[in-house]
Amino acid sequence: MRIAGAVRTVVAAAACTVLLTSCGSGSDDASGSGQRSGQAKEAEHGEGSRARAAEAGRIPDVGDRLQAKIPEDSRQVVAVYGDGVNSADSTVVLYTKTGKTDSTWEKARTWPAHNGKKGWTTDHRENDKRSPVGVFTLTDAGGVLADPGARLPYTKSVSMQAPHYWPKTHWHDFDYVIAIDYNRAKGTPPNDPTRPQGQTKGGSIWLHMDHGSGTSGCVSLSKSGMAYLLRTLDPKQHPVVVMGDKTNLAT
């Protein structure tokens, strides 16, 4: 049995293989539109509609298709609102239910973020530079840095270090990582190479630290944001991520 926050060991050779095809690709550059203020992006996504949806016990701006995939026992949702299907800009919002009988999602924190440099897809493929649309559980975390007090099981390993032949702006991408359970084995370190749906469906889709532009499929936000999520997401609350561009989210 694993204990949340316990440090696990990983095989460096396998990790390097995964990292070369993960979201922090050396082909990413500063051609993305860059980060914008969280306040401006909040306005674009419609603060009023979010509040009304939250009152109805729903994650704001998420349609029936994805809403139905949120587990009934989940009390923490990381929502990633992509600006557009071909945009690398997004906003991350943490929603929580505070009481055991509370059916209302309350907005806890908001951060500007980035997703795949080519946007979003409902049929993610290896190296397509798009982030997968969907609802995915969050069960494992790790990074190059020491555990900041994570509630999810945390693996500290230098094998997650971004290769230094990548641009210097990317070297700290994986200081903190939360694995998104897309085509991966739950209960393993984020850089475990297992791909249950096969290699062509891609993998190593993570929440990780931002380098100022789009990723190769992951979602990235500030170091402080990652630290907050690591200290807040609790396996007992069954956290999930709901992610996609605003059109696919609303479907």
Side-chain angles (χ1 to χ4, degrees), residues 192-214:
D192 183 277
T194 305
R195 299 286 181 266
Q197 300 175 54
Q199 195 68 29
T200 60
K201 291 292 290 181
S204 294
I205 304 298
W206 301 339
L207 294 166
H208 68 69
M209 284 170 48
D210 191 64
H211 55 248
S213 62

Side-chain angles (χ1 to χ4, degrees), residues 114-128:
H114 288 99
N115 50 264
K117 62 189 299 184
K118 292 187 177 181
W120 297 89
T121 179
T122 57
D123 185 22
H124 179 66
R125 298 288 172 173
E126 185 81 357
N127 296 322
D128 66 5

Side-chain angles (χ1 to χ4, degrees), residues 197-249:
Q197 300 175 54
Q199 195 68 29
T200 60
K201 291 292 290 181
S204 294
I205 304 298
W206 301 339
L207 294 166
H208 68 69
M209 284 170 48
D210 191 64
H211 55 248
S213 62
T215 71
S216 288
C218 293
V219 173
S220 61
L221 59 154
S222 65
K223 181 178 181 179
S224 61
M226 283 298 302
Y228 183 88
L229 289 176
L230 285 166
R231 296 182 186 119
T232 303
L233 296 179
D234 185 349
K236 294 180 180 178
Q237 304 302 316
H238 308 285
V240 299
V241 60
V242 181
M243 53 193 282
D245 60 279
K246 58 186 177 183
T247 299
N248 273 305
L249 285 177

Side-chain angles (χ1 to χ4, degrees), residues 1 17 35 49 63 69 77 104 138 153-154 158 172 201 220:
M1 179 181 295
T17 300
Q35 289 185 322
S49 65
K69 295 183 179 181
V77 169
T104 301
L138 301 170
Y154 188 94
V158 294
H172 295 284
K201 291 292 290 181
S220 61

